[in-house]
């Protein structure tokens, strides 16, 4: 009889997380800064795979266990900053001697509900990065992020007043903006690896169109491209914007237009035939994309060469 897979354990509140980790009751019901040194690790099969229904920002130092994301395991022996949005499944290899160090900021979505951050937080792509795309911090950067977390902690430990939530939300926004800056720095310092990824992207798209995969599978999607390159969709788009100023979707469109120009000027195929050949379900969609990129219709472009 096949063994049934263990379903992820859902943790829905800050209080529930504190209880599971055997920590004192949180000072604030919707936001908390947890010192990882205070967590007593234990091997509990039901908690090997969990879903956190809140935002998490975590500085991990000297992490001796293994974290799993998808089918891959990653070792963390240096200080890294990771981000998780509500609903993501995180798996951990739990052991009795697992050692943790660092700080963990927990933000329930309700805490920022009436603030612009509730919408803009979705624009921070790193909340959907894979674990292996974590932010590696310099000592100075780590100190800065930890200081902001401690400011949030001090705010809810003080007497809560009319401005407390505003101040804490401002600190959260500051932390996220610094993380944006640090990620851009990481893209630059890893420029060789980033450029290699750009080359692989170009080769992937060229092969996709040259070998007729577009006829069989349709236009390549951002998910297909990122999966083929073994990176998360948001990480790939953010990296490409840093390198080229364009997202993954824009790179795909550029390749479509490049191929379309080639076919329009070297064959006698009609615009509709070319649209279907390039993976479009409707010629109108092809016409619209081509005109938005080239400023003339495919037919006008074809006639200009004839």
């Amino acid at each position: 009889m096949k063994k049934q897979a263990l379903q992820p354990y859902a943790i829905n509140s800050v209080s529930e997380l504190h209880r599971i980790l055997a920590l004192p009751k949180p000072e604030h019901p919707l936001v908390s800064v947890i010192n990882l040194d205070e967590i007593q690790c234990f091997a509990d099969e039901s908690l090997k795979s969990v879903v956190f229904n809140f935002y998490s920002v975590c500085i991990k130092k000297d992490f001796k266990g293994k974290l799993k994301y998808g089918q891959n395991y990653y070792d963390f022996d240096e200080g890294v900053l990771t981000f998780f949005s509500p609903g993501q499944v995180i798996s951990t290899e739990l052991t009795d001697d697992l050692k943790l160090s660092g700080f963990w900021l927990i933000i329930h979505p309700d805490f920022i509900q009436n603030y612009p951050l509730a919408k803009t937080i979705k624009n921070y792509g790193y909340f959907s990065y894979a674990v292996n795309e974590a932010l590696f911090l310099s000592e100075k950067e780590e100190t800065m992020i930890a200081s902001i977390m401690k400011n949030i902690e001090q705010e809810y430990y003080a007497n809560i007043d009319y401005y407390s939530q505003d101040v804490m939300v401002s600190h959260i926004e500051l932390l996220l903006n610094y993380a944006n800056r640090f990620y851009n720095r990481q893209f630059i310092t890893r420029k060789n690896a980033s450029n290699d990824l750009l080359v692989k992207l170009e080769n992937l798209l060229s092969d996709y169109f040259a070998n007729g995969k577009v006829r069989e599978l349709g236009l390549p999607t951002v998910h297909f491209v990122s999966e083929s390159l073994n990176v998360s969709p948001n990480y790939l788009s953010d990296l490409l914007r840093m390198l080229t100023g364009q997202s993954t979707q824009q790179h795909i469109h550029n390749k479509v237009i490049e191929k379309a120009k080639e076919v329009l000027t070297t064959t006698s195929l009609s615009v509709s035939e070319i649209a279907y050949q390039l993976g479009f379900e409707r010629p109108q969609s092809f016409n619209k994309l081509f005109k938005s990129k080239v400023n003339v219709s495919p037919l006008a472009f074809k006639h200009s060469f004839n």
Side-chain angles (χ1 to χ4, degrees), residues 144-260:
M144 190 177 295
I145 295 296
S147 175
I148 296 173
M149 288 189 179
K150 289 176 183 176
N151 287 339
I152 295 170
E153 183 180 42
Q154 289 172 6
E155 189 63 34
Y156 65 65
Y157 267 111
N159 292 327
I160 300 294
D161 60 27
Y162 182 79
Y163 297 100
S164 296
Q165 190 168 355
D166 292 347
V167 171
M168 285 188 276
V169 170
S170 295
H171 280 307
I172 293 168
E173 287 182 301
L174 180 62
L175 188 157
L176 299 181
N177 286 328
Y178 270 122
N180 252 345
R181 170 186 281 181
F182 298 157
Y183 255 115
N184 282 340
R185 181 268 306 156
Q186 183 161 290
F187 290 148
I188 294 170
T189 55
R190 295 182 175 183
K191 198 165 186 179
N192 287 340
S194 300
N195 285 332
D196 286 346
L197 195 63
L198 181 58
V199 171
K200 289 178 181 177
L201 170 65
E202 291 299 322
N203 291 340
L204 173 70
L205 293 177
S206 295
D207 174 75
Y208 193 91
F209 284 94
N211 293 331
K213 293 180 183 177
V214 68
R215 297 179 191 175
E216 178 187 350
L217 304 174
L219 286 172
T221 63
V222 172
H223 180 78
F224 168 82
V225 170
S226 59
E227 191 174 64
S228 300
L229 296 174
N230 295 315
V231 292
S232 63
N234 281 7
Y235 183 87
L236 180 60
S237 279
D238 288 349
L239 183 145
L240 290 174
R241 283 193 189 95
M242 181 62 194
L243 291 176
T244 68
Q246 296 186 316
S247 67
T248 309
Q249 188 66 66
Q250 287 171 309
H251 276 268
I252 293 171
H253 285 166
N254 290 343
K255 184 59 69 174
V256 171
I257 299 303
E258 177 187 313
K259 189 67 178 177

Side-chain angles (χ1 to χ4, degrees), residues 29-238:
L30 298 176
V31 63
S32 182
V33 177
I34 297 172
N35 186 337
L36 298 181
D37 292 299
E38 297 175 358
I39 296 177
Q40 298 295 320
C41 293
F42 50 89
D44 186 335
E45 287 295 316
S46 67
L47 297 175
K48 283 186 68 173
S49 182
V50 297
V51 174
F52 297 119
N53 287 317
F54 37 72
Y55 291 98
S56 293
V57 181
C58 194
I59 300 177
K60 302 185 200 69
K61 298 186 291 184
D62 304 319
F63 187 83
K64 300 303 182 185
K66 287 187 176 181
L67 208 62
K68 184 181 181 185
Y69 187 97
Q71 299 302 313
N72 298 318
Y73 288 92
Y74 303 98
D75 291 307
F76 289 108
D77 295 324
E78 300 177 32
V80 292
L81 192 63
T82 53
F83 302 83
F84 299 107
S85 56
Q88 288 182 286
V89 179
I90 308 300
S91 300
T92 310
E93 285 293 306
L94 296 170
T95 60
D96 290 323
D97 60 347
L98 183 66
K99 300 297 181 185
L100 295 172
S101 181
F103 297 96
W104 185 5
L105 171 62
I106 307 300
I107 309 157
H108 195 282
D110 289 351
F111 184 69
I112 58 175
Q113 188 61 47
N114 295 321
Y115 291 83
L117 182 59
K119 291 183 178 179
T120 59
I121 198 169
K122 295 177 174 61
N123 297 330
Y124 293 99
Y126 47 70
F127 274 104
S128 299
Y129 288 0
V131 172
N132 62 317
E133 297 157 354
L135 177 59
F136 285 77
L137 298 171
S138 69
E139 188 174 342
K140 183 179 179 181
E141 291 168 350
E142 186 179 310
T143 300
M144 190 177 295
I145 295 296
S147 175
I148 296 173
M149 288 189 179
K150 289 176 183 176
N151 287 339
I152 295 170
E153 183 180 42
Q154 289 172 6
E155 189 63 34
Y156 65 65
Y157 267 111
N159 292 327
I160 300 294
D161 60 27
Y162 182 79
Y163 297 100
S164 296
Q165 190 168 355
D166 292 347
V167 171
M168 285 188 276
V169 170
S170 295
H171 280 307
I172 293 168
E173 287 182 301
L174 180 62
L175 188 157
L176 299 181
N177 286 328
Y178 270 122
N180 252 345
R181 170 186 281 181
F182 298 157
Y183 255 115
N184 282 340
R185 181 268 306 156
Q186 183 161 290
F187 290 148
I188 294 170
T189 55
R190 295 182 175 183
K191 198 165 186 179
N192 287 340
S194 300
N195 285 332
D196 286 346
L197 195 63
L198 181 58
V199 171
K200 289 178 181 177
L201 170 65
E202 291 299 322
N203 291 340
L204 173 70
L205 293 177
S206 295
D207 174 75
Y208 193 91
F209 284 94
N211 293 331
K213 293 180 183 177
V214 68
R215 297 179 191 175
E216 178 187 350
L217 304 174
L219 286 172
T221 63
V222 172
H223 180 78
F224 168 82
V225 170
S226 59
E227 191 174 64
S228 300
L229 296 174
N230 295 315
V231 292
S232 63
N234 281 7
Y235 183 87
L236 180 60
S237 279
D238 288 349

